[in-house]
Amino acid sequence: MRQSYIGQEVFRISWKLKQKVRDILSEEQGTVYKSHAGKVRVCLVWPNVYALGMTNLGFQTVCRLLNDMENCVCERAFLPSKEDALEFSRTGTELFSHETQTPLHEFDIIAFSVSFEDDYFNIPAILSLANIPVRSSERRQGPNPLRGSNPLRGQYPVIIAGGAAVSLNPEPLAEICDLFLLGEGEGALTEFIALFERIEKADISRRRQEAVRELDSLPFVYVPSLYEFEYDGAKVRAIRPLRGAKERIRACKNLSLDNFIIPQSFIRTPSTGFGGTPLVEIERGCGRGCRFCVAGFLYLPPRSRNADAVKEAVESGIKATGKAGLVGAAVSEYPQIKELLRAGVSLGAEVTLSSLRTDMLDAELLALLNMAGYKTVTLAPEAGSQRMRGVINKGIDDRGIMEAVSLITEAGFTRIKLYFLIGLPLEEDADAEAVVDLSLRIKAAMKKGSLALSVNPFIPKPFTPFQWHGFADRADVQRRLAIIKKGIARQRGVTMSAMSANEAFTQAYVSRADRRASEFIIEASIKGPRRAAKAVAALMEESVHRQREHDEILPWDLIDHGLKKDYLWKEYRKGLDGKPTPACNVGACLRCGVC
Ligand code: SF4
């Protein structure tokens, strides 16, 4: 270990950790190295380990877009592995960026890209490793003792967050982050960085945390300290904007995807969740209206990208690595999916894509997938019984599922994966038995090979029709998981993986919590969620299981994604009545308010 000099500051750095990062960088292609001089310096942080962050196209794309701006430089940082975190503590090394190994507190902005609520617990840990106070109020109180006397540099970075999880409900991080960028980032970043730069250049002696107030003028920026929440038990009684803050935050949505760069693995590395397969987003949103699905509602309307541009991006990945992964909420519905697969096959590439809709499968598509080296066909029946598929508006039936399995088997596939949810509204034990029954029929139809079930407790999410519904009783979830486990136990070649009811309970709390959850997240990042929960057990139980009222103020009501709350309520009621809703008909429909 030695002391290192960045600007006027001195910080300690472990050479072992520095070398590890350099080894990672040496395997990357497409890394951007830029001078910091005269630029807004952003450290983009994925609040989990490197391999997961580099698999995420939102993270990759924000990094690329920021570095494409002349007035900005963006470097990356990640949650260290447990072993590396110990080395950070042992050597007193502060968390540093990958590209230039600059400590995080040197940046103007630390931007967390947050796709999953489970990663909230890593954010306080990352700030602590960077020697930055975890609470926004603590950072507002005084200068950064780690930095020099220069009035601009003597301040803490602005801590911001964006991404799918916080765009649904930023409140659980409201006491930790200074501001949020809500919605689809592509359309927001240029304006945000330009205003940030203008504010800082205009008066560098002003405290940066106060300058955050001016960023509230952007419609998609949410500054939580400018809003006061009043509570009535677990409910929110009132939300009041302070000091002239705007009434609502309009999340950014890019209706014309082709106006923006195609999200893809701009930085290629072998160390990703898909073994280094370069990914390309080919479409966004899904119009089928499955009532549980957060990706379906948050990213409405369904949007496809220009086929030529997509083909070019896919072929570029294939030429570099021989592989490609196609990403989107409804990949099998992309109008040119067969052309894309054909192009991949003609280049001798392996092409993977996420789960397939049973009603989009045909012999030609499956033959192409087979030729593209696709090994496991993933389907998402979500429920075993037709009654439950009616509640969630899944729009498929047993006959369609079994016909799809026949096609898959005839095409030569021997591995199928099925996604199921347990604990859905109105569910009974018989619906768990129906999961067993359907799975065993599918296995019998396969004759040989393996069937893997992924069964997860259903967690109601904001901006979906089930946002008012209580999370199922944990005992019911555990019992139904046990029914499925027992039901498949004797069948060879059928396996099951499941998220535990306790893990799901914690996620169910932070998904729909108000800002009182910030302290729980901070405590849980130190002690673990189970121990931290003891101090707030009653509030958590009530928040998680409570049936919300129709006209109740929800913590995320400040955010406008274009979806009408009344439409979501009608969909919720239709779900409880088991009534279907047809898929989106873009151009001829105005029912949800987005188009
Ligand atoms: S307005 Fe209609 S077509 Fe547009 S996103 Fe909503 S439901 Fe789909």
Side-chain angles (χ1 to χ4, degrees), residues 55 269-278 321 323:
T55 311
T269 164
S271 312
T272 67
F274 297 102
T277 302
T321 64
K323 299 186 275 192

Side-chain angles (χ1 to χ4, degrees), residues 528-545:
R530 195 175 273 198
R531 285 178 61 199
K534 284 184 185 154
V536 285
L539 177 67
M540 269 179 99
E541 285 289 336
E542 196 183 346
S543 302
V544 167
H545 296 299

Side-chain angles (χ1 to χ4, degrees), residues 300-302 567 584-586 589-595:
L300 281 175
Y567 175 76
C584 282
N585 187 2
V586 180
C589 154
L590 296 168
R591 68 181 183 222
C592 83
V594 169
C595 280

Side-chain angles (χ1 to χ4, degrees), residues 99 109 143 182 210 228 232 254 280 324 340 384 446 510 551 561 593:
E99 282 79 354
I109 295 172
L182 301 181
E210 286 164 16
E228 185 179 69
D232 173 9
N254 310 316
V280 178
L340 269 184
M446 288 169 70
V510 292
D551 53 358
H561 281 288

Side-chain angles (χ1 to χ4, degrees), residues 2 26 42 192 226 237 272 275 314 408 439 493 524 541 552 594:
R2 55 160 247 181
S26 69
V42 181
F192 179 80
L226 295 178
R237 181 183 288 153
T272 67
V314 170
I408 292 164
S439 304
E541 285 289 336
E552 179 173 336
V594 169

Side-chain angles (χ1 to χ4, degrees), residues 15 50 111 121 154 319 341:
W15 272 104
Y50 174 85
F121 302 101
K319 278 172 194 153
L341 285 168

